[in-house]
Every structure is written in C-alpha cells, then in structure tokens.
C-alpha cells in the first residue's frame, strides 16, 4: 500500500523511516528489497528517490550520525569537571551503540553499507575535531597535540566499543570507568 504524500521531501522521509525500521531489525543484512517491502513500494520507486543503494544508505548514515553527534555534543558540554564530561561522553557513545547495535553494525561493519561509511568517516573527523577544540581550550594544548589526542580518543573508544559489543567482556559502567581511568593516566601510574 502506497501512502500519498504532499511532496517529494515528505515522501523521502517516510521511505527513510521504513529503511530505519529495517536496519534496526536486520542490521547489516538490510536489503533494498526488504526496505521497499516495508515501505509498501517497489524497488524502482525506492531508487527513484535515492538514486541507488548508496544514496539511501548515505541518507540513513547522515540521519544516524547527526543524532549521535548531537548527543555527544550535549555530553561534552555537560558537567563541571573535565573528568565528568569525559565519563558522560563515553557513556553517551556506549549507550547509543548498546541501544542500537544493529544500526552500529550496519554503519561500521556492513559490506552492504560501504557507501555509508564515508558518512561515518566524516562523523569521526567532526567528533575528533570537536574533542581537539575542547582539549586545546581546556589544557592550552598545541593544535598538533589536541588533534592527535582527539583522534586517539575517538579511535580508542570506538575500538573498545567494538570489542565490548562483540564479547560483552565488561558492563557498560565498567567500560566507561576503565576508559576514563586510562584517559586520566591510570596506565602511566600503575605499578610495573
């Protein structure tokens, strides 16, 4: 059943909503055929709105990463201490991937969604730049140090999140604590 809509932009949003439901359910296994069926349309109509699979997946990735970036920015602005902001930001990231593991796997680990991965790389660069700005301001770091640390922190948290989702090797609270401890020097101050 096709739902009539007043304009192309509104129709596109309805189709993205259908794609979103399928990705949340099927993760990396989401297919254009399943998405079209969910939307009650044929695949050619889906292609007409997004050009091709990469267009649809890029639009979904933009939707997901924009929401996550907003959540992470809010966490970065919250709290009165540096450590509190770090904990809340790591918590926000891990909460997002725990609440929507299929979306995360679709974006980061899906061969089908490879076109969306440029959106993910763009998100990672934006987040790293935001962290670098904060680091440079908070500790008066050089631009090179702030950028290196910003990218390193994002990579570390993403990699630890991958491990955590795959293995369940810690609770979310434990992982937040351990990553925060690492960022605040636990490795360097631990006994040999």
């Amino acid at each position: 059943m096709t739902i009539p809509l007043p304009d192309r932009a509104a129709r596109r949003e309805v189709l993205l909503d259908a794609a979103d439901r399928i990705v949340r359910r099927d993760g990396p296994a989401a297919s254009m055929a399943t998405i079209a069926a969910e939307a009650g349309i044929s695949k050619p109509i889906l292609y007409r709105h997004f050009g091709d699979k990469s267009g649809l997946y890029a639009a979904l990735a933009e939707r997901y990463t924009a929401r996550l970036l907003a959540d992470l920015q809010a966490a970065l602005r919250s709290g009165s201490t540096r450590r509190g902001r770090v904990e809340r930001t790591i918590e926000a990231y891990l909460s997002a991937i725990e609440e929507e593991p299929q979306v995360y796997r679709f974006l980061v680990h899906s061969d089908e969604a490879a076109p969306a991965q440029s959106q993910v790389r763009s998100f990672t660069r934006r987040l790293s730049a935001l962290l670098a700005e904060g680091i440079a301001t908070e500790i008066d770091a050089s631009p090179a140090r702030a950028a290196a640390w910003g990218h390193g922190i994002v990579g570390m948290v993403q990699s630890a999140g991958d491990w955590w989702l795959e293995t369940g090797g810690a609770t979310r609270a434990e992982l937040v604590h351990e990553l925060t401890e690492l960022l605040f020097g636990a490795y360097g101050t631990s006994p040999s």
Side-chain angles (χ1 to χ4, degrees):
M1 174 174 106
T2 303
I3 302 167
L5 295 172
D7 63 30
R8 186 170 176 82
R11 173 99 175 155
R12 182 180 166 94
E13 286 303 309
V14 168
L15 296 176
L16 278 173
D17 289 344
D20 181 48
R21 288 189 298 276
I22 295 302
V23 167
R24 287 173 194 276
R25 187 188 75 205
D26 298 348
S31 70
M32 294 295 277
T34 309
I35 292 167
E38 176 71 16
I41 60 169
S42 65
K43 282 193 332 185
I45 293 172
L46 195 57
Y47 287 122
R48 193 174 312 135
H49 283 274
F50 296 99
D52 58 13
K53 183 189 304 184
S54 65
L56 172 61
Y57 288 172
L60 276 174
E62 177 59 33
R63 180 185 264 198
Y64 295 142
T65 59
R67 185 175 59 233
L68 179 56
L69 188 60
D71 291 346
L72 295 174
Q73 286 174 314
L76 283 167
R77 289 189 300 270
S78 68
S80 58
T81 67
R82 189 180 320 152
R83 185 180 187 100
R85 284 188 297 279
V86 166
E87 286 176 333
R88 278 190 273 299
T89 305
I90 293 170
E91 172 71 27
Y93 178 80
L94 294 176
S95 290
I97 68 173
E98 181 181 43
E99 290 168 10
E100 300 183 290
Q102 293 288 50
V103 169
Y104 179 75
R105 290 179 183 112
F106 171 80
L107 290 173
V108 177
H109 298 295
S110 170
D111 291 336
E112 277 292 305
Q117 290 172 2
S118 68
Q119 294 292 115
V120 174
R121 284 189 298 278
S122 175
F123 163 79
T124 302
R125 284 190 301 273
R126 286 184 293 179
L127 180 57
S128 298
L130 283 171
L131 287 178
E133 287 174 24
I135 290 166
T137 301
E138 284 194 343
I139 65 169
D140 196 28
S142 71
R145 173 178 268 188
W149 286 9
H151 285 276
I153 291 167
V154 169
M156 176 188 74
V157 173
Q158 181 181 9
S159 181
D162 282 348
W163 163 80
W164 174 63
L165 277 183
E166 185 178 316
T167 67
T171 67
R172 185 174 72 220
E174 289 170 333
L175 186 55
V176 169
H177 175 77
E178 293 304 330
L179 292 176
T180 302
E181 285 290 302
L182 179 59
L183 286 168
F184 280 85
Y187 181 76
T189 59
S190 292
S192 302

